[in-house]
Amino acid sequence: MATDLPMQVLDALAQGTGPILTAEIFPSESFTTIKSALDRLGSREMVLYKTIERDEAILTAEAQGIVEHGSHEAKVFEAVRSAVEGLKVSDLPGIVGKESAKVGQGKALAGKWIKLDKEKNILKANTDSIVDTTREQLQTIERTKTYPDSKVISDLKKRKLLKMQKAITFEVSKGPKYAREFVKEETDLTAEMLASGAWKSVKLKPYNFKSKGALTPSGALHPLNKVRHEFRQIFFEMGFEEMPTNRFVETGFWNFDALFVPQQHPARDLQDTFYISDPLRAGKPGPDPTIGKGDLKLDYEQYWNDIREVHENGKFGSIGYRYPWKEDEALRLVLRTHTTSTSTYMLHKLAANPRPARYFSIDRVFRNETVDATHLAEFHQVEGVIADFGLTLGGLIGFMEVFFGKMGIHRLRFKPAYNPYTEPSMEIFGFHEGLNKWVEIGNSGMFRPEMLEPMGLPKEMRVYGWGLSLERPTMIKYGVNNIRELLGHKVDLNFVESNAAVRLEKD
């Protein structure tokens, strides 16, 4: 019992001459129970102990079967030896099972326990007896949780017969006040003790000022929220205004058409985009009640017709895509594939009062991706937009160097790219010191006239746009290799609680 454990520890020390290991003496007791007993004895200086952390080998279910019934190769050998005239290879799975036949035949041949007559495709025994080494090794590991030869451990792990786990044990030795008798110590000085004078003879438990207090449960920010906070501070520091991003569902018009993305573009296929089934479509874009009374009145019907025209026949100096633009396709509802749909809406709203502006957003987007270690069907996009007069590509490159410099990324490269709604367009690469290689960190460009002029923005106004995922810098900062460990139902709450705040400009 746990209440008797301190006495059992004292008895175990009395029976030997040196330190004892709790894993060997008390294998069935929990870590918490043993630690509590040792702390109780240690506070009285009756024992001294130190923590030992080690890797233990644990048998898998398959390995447990080998310990009980023998290895696959031993089963194959016994089956072949029992067949006096030899055993057909095709008959082996029916005798020892498919798994044992698949694994054991190769092992038995490699160990020269059996031989194969290739002409007759028959297996014959090559010796009268064998030593089932695999079984003996696993039996030793079952008893001791380890094996002297590390190569054996490595081989058995490759065969998926072992899995390693961390184990904590304690090495306990006699303390300066060791005794077989456990004297009860009072924890409180009571009124009765003072009245009777018993306080003079009782042993009071000393205060342990080194003991750790109980952890206070508290909430914790997810690593993505910590990195998001850092991005927001950078944007605010540089004079940006945060855009409202509460519309997860958008029309194809705002998500694609207004960005000069043609209706035949692969990004609009079902395999790339989530479409809403009920309702299928929304109405045409209409007036925004948040636009100020002093601002210009926006003509949404003219905007709609200009988008149609710039796609079908070209306008504003563009020849367009020259295809029959479909109204129903523009009104289909989708889970937004990028926050650029919000940027488009805000730029159109800016046309009511054209002026230099800086916008940013950080929110969730959705794409019909195959889920793997680096892709999810939903993730977060960081996006920035700058509208002003006289902007140039050189200015965009210079701004990117300042922006990413605030994140601690000072070595940048820019590669020409293609986006339907920006021209010129650039992919941004940064040199990652930890990985010692160049990694893609974002995409950027200058919005096309076919996107801006139908909104009613002045012809002389230019707009920078750039974006990156929130997950990639978070994974790099926190050393996460699988995005599913960062976002989704597989996230370890201990990971969320234990990770410190992040500073993007510091390693």
Side-chain angles (χ1 to χ4, degrees), residues 148 215 236 294 345 359 423 474 492 498:
L215 292 175
F236 288 138
Y345 182 83
Y359 299 125
E423 181 62 38
T474 306
D492 183 357
S498 62

Side-chain angles (χ1 to χ4, degrees), residues 255-256 258-262 265-267 321 337-338 340 367 381 383-384 393 396 415-428 440 442-451 463-468:
N255 199 76
F256 296 118
L259 275 77
F260 198 53
V261 177
H265 195 280
Y321 290 117
T337 61
H338 48 191
T340 315
R367 294 180 189 174
Q381 183 173 331
E383 180 161 334
L393 181 64
L396 174 59
K415 175 184 174 183
Y418 168 76
N419 285 314
Y421 44 90
T422 58
E423 181 62 38
S425 308
M426 300 182 299
E427 291 175 348
I428 310 167
E440 184 180 352
N443 216 318
S444 66
M446 301 183 70
F447 286 128
R448 296 177 67 107
E450 293 97 330
M451 173 184 166
V463 181
Y464 295 153
W466 74 95
L468 62 152

Side-chain angles (χ1 to χ4, degrees), residues 55-97:
D55 290 323
E56 287 189 349
I58 306 299
L59 303 191
T60 63
E62 182 182 354
Q64 291 285 2
I66 290 175
V67 168
E68 294 175 13
H69 307 294
S71 65
H72 300 303
E73 53 266 35
K75 290 179 183 178
V76 169
F77 171 76
E78 290 300 329
V80 173
R81 186 173 65 86
S82 300
V84 179
E85 299 298 327
L87 182 66
K88 288 184 178 179
V89 173
S90 58
D91 295 337
L92 186 60
I95 299 173
V96 300

Side-chain angles (χ1 to χ4, degrees), residues 411 413 430-439 476:
R411 297 173 62 186
R413 285 179 178 173
F431 188 79
H432 190 277
E433 301 291 345
L435 300 176
N436 196 34
K437 67 177 183 180
W438 292 91
V439 295
I476 292 172

Side-chain angles (χ1 to χ4, degrees), residues 268-297:
R268 301 179 76 151
D269 292 342
L270 284 172
Q271 61 263 33
D272 291 312
T273 300
F274 292 110
Y275 285 91
I276 305 301
S277 59
D278 187 17
L280 281 171
R281 294 176 177 84
K284 291 182 179 181
D288 187 335
T290 64
I291 294 178
K293 293 182 179 179
D295 295 336
L296 295 173
K297 185 178 179 181

Side-chain angles (χ1 to χ4, degrees), residues 293-311:
K293 293 182 179 179
D295 295 336
L296 295 173
K297 185 178 179 181
L298 296 173
D299 189 341
Y300 282 87
E301 187 64 31
Q302 183 62 44
Y303 184 37
W304 174 270
N305 291 332
D306 282 345
I307 292 295
R308 176 199 298 273
E309 189 68 19
V310 82
H311 279 256

Side-chain angles (χ1 to χ4, degrees), residues 346-364:
M346 292 297 292
L347 288 172
H348 178 248
K349 186 176 174 182
L350 183 67
N353 180 17
R355 65 196 183 281
R358 294 185 173 197
Y359 299 125
F360 82 93
S361 64
I362 307 172
D363 213 334
R364 192 168 295 198

Side-chain angles (χ1 to χ4, degrees), residues 430-488:
F431 188 79
H432 190 277
E433 301 291 345
L435 300 176
N436 196 34
K437 67 177 183 180
W438 292 91
V439 295
E440 184 180 352
I441 56 175
N443 216 318
S444 66
M446 301 183 70
F447 286 128
R448 296 177 67 107
E450 293 97 330
M451 173 184 166
L452 300 178
E453 293 192 35
M455 295 177 178
L457 289 170
K459 192 178 182 68
E460 300 79 17
M461 180 168 273
R462 302 286 182 266
V463 181
Y464 295 153
W466 74 95
L468 62 152
S469 78
L470 182 63
E471 281 75 7
R472 174 164 288 186
T474 306
M475 290 172 71
I476 292 172
K477 281 292 179 182
Y478 285 99
V480 178
N481 296 320
N482 191 327
I483 193 172
R484 289 169 288 194
E485 296 173 4
L486 184 68
L487 185 64

